[in-house]
Amino acid sequence: RLPQAIIIGVKKGGTRALLEFLRVHPDVRAVGAEPHFFDRNYERGLAWYRELMPRTLEGQITMEKTPSYFVTKEAPARISSMCRGTRLIVVVRDPVTRAISDYTQTLSKKPDIPSFESLTFKNRTTGLIDTSWSAIQIGIYAKHLENWLLHFPIGQILFVSGERLISDPAGELGRVQDFLGLKRIITDKHFYFNKTKGFPCLKKAEGSSKPHCLGKTKGRTHPDIDQEVVQRLRDFYRPFNMKFYQMTGQDFGWD
């Protein structure tokens, strides 16, 4: 079946963790890899997309996650034309931390990229922030959300806090299960906190009796960023964050 729910964003927000946690639920069947259908592979057609989906039983929910959908202009209309009732989940986290995490990921693959500080500004002296850099662009959540609200009612989108996914995974998972109309099966007893990683892990993964933590690529140590630059970014994001809080009716406490 085509997915009834999609995790549409955001990159470096905690989408992989959310998907892994959700897969513990017996009524959730999800694609492991990111299909990138509504952004990169759309011309392959819905039949191709459907083929990627796992087989489900009556009453089970089919899901996929591709974090870049949230920032893809065409994605809302395309998902809506597949099914207007599709439920959407967005995992968001402090846009400044998210940007640094995004940069850290790129740095691990391309060690010779310019410094975070130099990529942040169009012009360091005037302090003008380069919003064309994707690491910064993605965190302007209010702007991307406006595009989705042209095609979906706000009640059909769940906003998950990336921070709370770490500090209270069972609480956030409770909200997600309610939103998806699932029985609250995933609770505190499924998690333990891994001190070395700095985030929660599953006591048992799907189909296994062994504990499961996200891979080595998660929880990388961030480089030290000039505090003045961090402050500039906080000031830059503040009005967008406030607008996002208003639009979603949720205060994420990023300031």
Side-chain angles (χ1 to χ4, degrees):
R1 273 184 280 207
L2 289 165
Q4 295 97 319
I6 303 177
I7 300 172
I8 56 172
V10 305
K11 184 184 177 196
K12 306 312 293 173
T15 59
R16 169 58 58 195
L18 178 62
L19 190 71
E20 295 290 317
F21 295 165
L22 270 176
R23 290 173 83 167
V24 171
H25 200 294
D27 292 335
V28 170
R29 304 284 291 127
V31 187
E34 295 171 6
H36 283 283
F37 176 63
F38 296 103
D39 55 355
R40 298 182 202 156
N41 294 308
Y42 197 61
E43 67 296 335
R44 295 185 170 204
L46 271 177
W48 175 85
Y49 184 52
R50 191 193 291 267
E51 278 297 297
L52 300 177
M53 298 300 141
R55 298 187 177 280
T56 52
L57 301 167
E58 196 53 54
Q60 287 183 322
I61 287 184
T62 306
M63 287 186 76
E64 71 118 316
K65 79 137 184 139
T66 305
S68 47
Y69 291 164
F70 189 61
V71 298
T72 302
K73 278 272 187 299
E74 304 78 16
R78 287 171 172 178
I79 293 176
S80 172
S81 77
M82 169 185 76
C83 171
R84 288 175 97 157
T86 309
R87 283 177 238 192
L88 308 170
I89 299 174
V90 190
V91 188
V92 284
R93 79 191 267 205
D94 181 324
V96 181
T97 328
R98 199 220 65 80
I100 296 169
S101 179
D102 200 330
Y103 174 79
T104 308
Q105 182 176 27
T106 311
L107 189 64
S108 72
K109 295 173 187 168
K110 302 178 190 155
D112 50 352
I113 55 167
S115 73
F116 181 86
E117 289 81 353
S118 64
L119 290 167
T120 297
F121 298 106
K122 269 197 179 118
N123 180 330
R124 183 88 192 243
T125 9
T126 60
L128 197 65
I129 295 213
D130 189 354
T131 54
S132 68
W133 182 30
S134 74
I136 284 172
Q137 172 74 32
I138 291 171
I140 309 172
Y141 304 139
K143 197 173 132 237
H144 303 301
L145 180 56
E146 278 173 346
N147 190 25
W148 287 88
L149 294 180
L150 299 172
H151 300 272
F152 291 93
I154 191 97
Q156 221 167 297
I157 311 174
L158 181 72
F159 300 92
V160 172
S161 158
E163 286 82 13
R164 282 199 300 269
L165 201 52
I166 293 172
S167 64
D168 177 20
E172 281 302 271
L173 262 291
R175 292 179 60 238
V176 177
Q177 291 170 98
D178 291 350
F179 173 73
L180 295 173
L182 296 166
K183 275 217 295 259
R184 281 199 179 204
I185 287 175
I186 307 166
T187 59
D188 277 333
K189 66 174 192 292
H190 286 89
F191 300 100
Y192 71 94
F193 195 79
N194 181 316
K195 288 196 174 61
T196 33
K197 278 263 181 205
F199 48 71
C201 299
L202 288 167
K203 286 183 183 164
K204 288 180 183 159
E206 182 203 22
S208 145
S209 57
K210 288 203 291 285
H212 173 65
C213 277
L214 296 176
K216 287 186 183 60
T217 62
K218 304 297 176 187
R220 292 188 186 93
T221 310
H222 290 178
D224 283 328
I225 307 293
D226 181 339
Q227 277 313 299
E228 183 208 346
V229 174
V230 171
Q231 199 45 55
R232 285 276 178 86
L233 275 176
R234 295 224 165 277
D235 297 342
F236 164 76
Y237 279 121
R238 192 165 295 113
F240 295 112
N241 290 345
M242 291 306 149
K243 185 167 184 210
F244 185 65
Y245 296 174
Q246 282 171 338
M247 292 169 85
T248 60
Q250 264 174 273
D251 182 338
F252 289 89
W254 294 324
D255 280 313

